[in-house]
Amino acid sequence: MKYIVFPHHVKVENKKIKTYGIIAINKIIPIKVIKDVSTDYEAIRKFVKGLNEDKVELVHLEDMLEDYYYDNVWVIIT
């Protein structure tokens, strides 16, 4: 499994915002697409790099994303 970051736009209150998602690829076939993970390219790039280095299986991706959101939102709130 390989993960890549992809940019896209979402509309929030009539404004277009650039955000980044993750595509999970098995060999050359996209298996899962998760949109709007983060607007912070560097943070999501590092997260995806870690997923690839640790060879995270797709079954664990949701838990990893939950940890990512917890860690990043907690930093913003505190």
Side-chain angles (χ1 to χ4, degrees):
M1 189 69 51
K2 182 175 179 176
Y3 301 94
I4 60 170
V5 176
F6 73 98
H8 62 97
H9 289 86
V10 295
K11 194 172 184 181
V12 177
E13 297 179 6
N14 295 325
K15 293 181 184 178
K16 279 178 124 179
I17 298 174
K18 188 174 187 176
T19 187
Y20 300 91
I22 299 172
I23 300 176
I25 298 174
N26 188 3
K27 298 184 183 180
I28 60 168
I29 301 169
I31 303 297
K32 184 170 184 105
V33 176
I34 302 172
K35 293 183 175 182
D36 197 19
V37 175
S38 179
T39 57
D40 183 344
Y41 174 75
E42 279 305 309
I44 195 66
R45 184 191 64 76
K46 289 177 185 175
F47 176 71
V48 168
K49 182 179 178 186
L51 292 174
N52 288 320
E53 287 174 352
D54 294 341
K55 297 181 180 9
V56 173
E57 293 293 327
L58 186 59
V59 69
H60 300 295
L61 181 58
E62 296 294 328
D63 291 333
M64 300 295 290
L65 278 169
E66 188 175 310
D67 291 345
Y68 170 82
Y69 288 134
Y70 178 80
D71 292 343
N72 286 287
V73 171
W74 183 252
V75 170
I76 292 168
I77 292 172
T78 57

